[in-house]
Amino acid sequence: MEYEAPIQNTKYGVCTIDAKQDGKIINADKDFVEITGYTLEELKGKDMNYIKLIVEDERSDIFNYLKSKTTKNGMACLEHFMNCKDGSAVAVSCFTKSLGNGYMDVMLTKNITKVSDKDGSGYDSLTGFCNFNAAEAEISRILMSGVEHCHSVLLFKLRHINRMEEVYGRAFAGVVIENAAIYINHQYCGKGQRVVLGRIRHDTFLVFQCAAEPKTVEGIADWICSEMSKCYYGRDARISGGMTAGICHMPAESSFDEALLCAEKALQYSEQYDELYEVYNENKKYSDIKPVYKNVSGYEDKERVLNYDNRFVSFAVAMLASAKDPDSSLDLLIQRIGLQFGLNRVMINIFENSHYARVTNHYEKGKGIIVEQNLVEDMDDRDGFFQRFDSNGCMKIKDTMLESISERERSYYNKYNMRAVVNFLMYDNDKLIGYVSYSASKAKDEWIQNKLNTLMQISRILSLFITIRLHKEENEQRYESLSIDSLTGLSIYAAFLEAAKKKLYEFDPEKVYACIYADIDNFSYINENFGYEEGNEILKDYALRLQKVRSEGSICCHVHADKFIILSIRNSRKEIEKTVQKVNKEFNAMSRAMYPMSDMRVVTGIYYIDDPGCDIVRAVDHAIHVWKHAKKNKYKTYAIYSDDFANERRTRLKIVGSIHNAIESGEIEAFMQPKFSMKTMKVVGAEALSRWRNPDGTYKYPDQFIPFLEDVGYIIDVDFCIFEQVLRAMSEWKANGKKMIPVSVNFSRQHINHDDFVARIMALTAKYGVEPKYIEIEITESAFMKKPEKMMRFMRELREEGYKIDIDDFGTGYSSLNMLLDVPVDIVKIDKSFIDDYDTQLKREYINQIGNLIQTAKKDIIFEGVETQEQIKFLTDCGYENAQGYVFSKPISMKNFEEKYIYNI
Ligand code: C2E
Ligand code: CA
Ligand code: CA
């Protein structure tokens, strides 16, 4: 980093240090040498380093701050005191830039005057206004000197200063406050009026206006507030900025305290109702408030605006270095430059390839910041243009109408009404990156040297920041290329999370945001039957479909395998749902056409993000959950996370989280539903059904908890819990010499995943000494759909051990009747839906057929869900014997069951 000879009173010293070695000084330029008073050799010597240059008490703190901030952000800015060789300590502004690998450049400017005194001279150093105490004292003085006329108390409050601090940093907010003070000052001072100006809170100004017409007072307030609402408040659309006022026209006899309180009430009112200002009206009702006034001098440190000769330069450095959003800060800074130097335009132009310059930041007098991104200028006579810059990288044009420049350049200046212009070149090390233009709308006799010097210094600082911005962009691009999944061209998950966070940070309330999770169901079918290549083609195909419909700002991500996540940003929910539907429909149609046997289809879960503060990982999690839900329904290709779904999910989590505790503490109870012979009307068996006892003695029914437990596999613990209760009861019947009746117990399809299923059943049966022939294992028909071989093996083994196997809900699954010939089953339970309506001849015929078939296959038959005498008659007429249903008995507690059917026989 090379800096030319210092200009007038501001010196820039630059040194390069190695932060890894306590700031060992690698090199320093002659201004740095001059500021410190040491020779270059001494500075580079082994006993010296940057830490030693910092005044003792805060050494390591300051150095660590510089080091960590520079490593993290590429730059840092701080003021500290520096030890000079002659033993003096000077205040310096220090600005660092990372060179990578722990090396950094440190640029110093010597602060000529110290920051204004901190112990509250009565003036706020940021704005130069009185602080509260001083304002109050001054106002009392005026009032004491005799009041004849009516005075007015005005309070001006800036909107959203705290949000600005959060988003753009303190320095930014400080400038907004300072700008407001400039407007206020401008309106009241030097106009022959008697006023007191104060800053009484961080964001609130007090104006005491003597003896003015109420209409005039209000007119000025109106002007200030409406002008302020046009000012620049950063690029974040959520922060509106602006100013609101409360006014109290003070009757001659009232005190200042009273008037101030009334002004506060009016201020609060106008703020609440979003008015420009409100004039206190004693007939109106305002809410009661107790305002707090602070002397705001304590803020100056944080606002980091300094009060010395080269104040503007330091201000620029501080402003940019503490910026959270460089572009917004650059904008604000060039606006300030424009105002301060009476310019009509300030533009930062960045070169793009060899012929173009793009305007990245643009201030125009009267319009403020112009955020028009695509202002690109073709530069035809580039060489000629460069030749007109002097050795300081400065080009002065006193009058663009008269200067001998190309016609294109002239028309360019003309277009923007730039009559007198200075351009400064900007470098990134040795590479030319662009130039800053400052212009006035009137021709000049001469640009004032002092002004030029400051502009030059500011331009250098701007160029450093732009360099950093450019590097940041480059890094981001590099990062982007690494964050793309090579197969699909979509983002990888980690990059998606980062990008999505940013998008949510820029949340636009006009738009609808959705986190969408998509997964291709049965995708493995393709991999297994057609190979991975074909599988990859499918993934690419789907990714392409996503990209085709991708809306502006949306991010698509390929997580892995057949899983995709999208952050969709569109105008309406309807638009999002329509798009999802369209993509899914087309993909699924393709799938059916190309792989008719595969059952492959894409299913999507949609979670709408209403809260921009929402954690993106959570949003993904919600989308996955609702996707799981969608997947269960064969006819749906997407589902939306709704309040109902959220409630269901809460219930689900509660159930899943408390089931083991419930089992332990005996809340899961086996209820028994007897099975009857329709011939003898005697009990021939029973089915154990689970119930979850609530603390108040009521019960939860299986459909309220079993599906959730099936999903996570905890159902198997419930099954064994019920099974054990049944075994315990049976062993007691046996011990009491009672007649044993067979009991069936439901076992979920989930057991298929546990190889010890059979062994566990046998061990428990043995533990209670119950004979397996009294035990029926009920497995639902659909459990034979997936991995039927394994299920069949289990059943075969259990049968060999003497257990009976029931096939439950027969007729609801997809298995053909032929299946019955192969499955190792003893009893077939015909589902309730078969006897619910048997009134047509055809149905009767069908029920008969089934019965015949089952009997041919030598299975026992039982009908479940029998509710009426007619059904009994029908079934007995058809020749069937066994049934279960409400007409005989509902499921009842074990105790009840035993009393009724075991111990009374
Ligand atoms: P399921 O195995 O088909 O059990 C029969 C269900 O029908 C029981 O409901 C029973 O109360 C009901 N029911 C019996 N007769 C009639 C009738 O005449 N009319 C009507 N409308 N319903 C009748 P429940 O007890 O609510 O159980 C529902 C389902 O929950 C069971 O269907 C079974 O699939 C499952 N389940 C219950 N307990 C367990 C268990 O311990 N383990 C497993 N894995 N599943 C269980
Ligand atoms: Ca059952
Ligand atoms: Ca059933």
Side-chain angles (χ1 to χ4, degrees), residues 55-71:
V55 166
E56 211 129 20
D57 355 332
E58 295 174 313
R59 265 184 189 168
S60 48
D61 281 357
I62 287 181
F63 188 70
N64 286 339
Y65 173 85
L66 287 176
K67 191 166 133 181
S68 67
K69 192 127 193 225
T70 312
T71 320

Side-chain angles (χ1 to χ4, degrees), residues 564-604:
F564 296 83
I565 303 176
I566 301 116
L567 178 73
S568 178
I569 307 174
R570 288 182 189 271
N571 295 319
S572 67
R573 290 191 171 199
K574 203 166 158 203
E575 200 182 310
I576 289 179
E577 285 155 36
K578 258 192 168 160
T579 316
V580 165
Q581 214 168 13
K582 180 174 178 297
V583 172
N584 290 6
K585 202 172 143 200
E586 289 173 7
F587 179 87
N588 294 344
M590 174 282 294
S591 160
R592 270 193 308 277
M594 289 183 58
Y595 313 97
M597 304 295 290
S598 75
D599 249 358
M600 178 176 75
R601 64 183 194 128
V602 69
V603 181
T604 301

Side-chain angles (χ1 to χ4, degrees), residues 673 675 687-689 744-747 778-780 806-809 829 864 884:
Q673 186 178 34
K675 299 172 183 171
E687 177 180 6
L689 294 157
S744 63
V745 178
N746 294 284
F747 284 93
E778 269 194 35
I779 306 275
T780 179
D806 286 15
I807 182 155
D808 200 355
D809 307 327
K829 278 188 120 175
E864 61 177 339
Q884 179 185 349

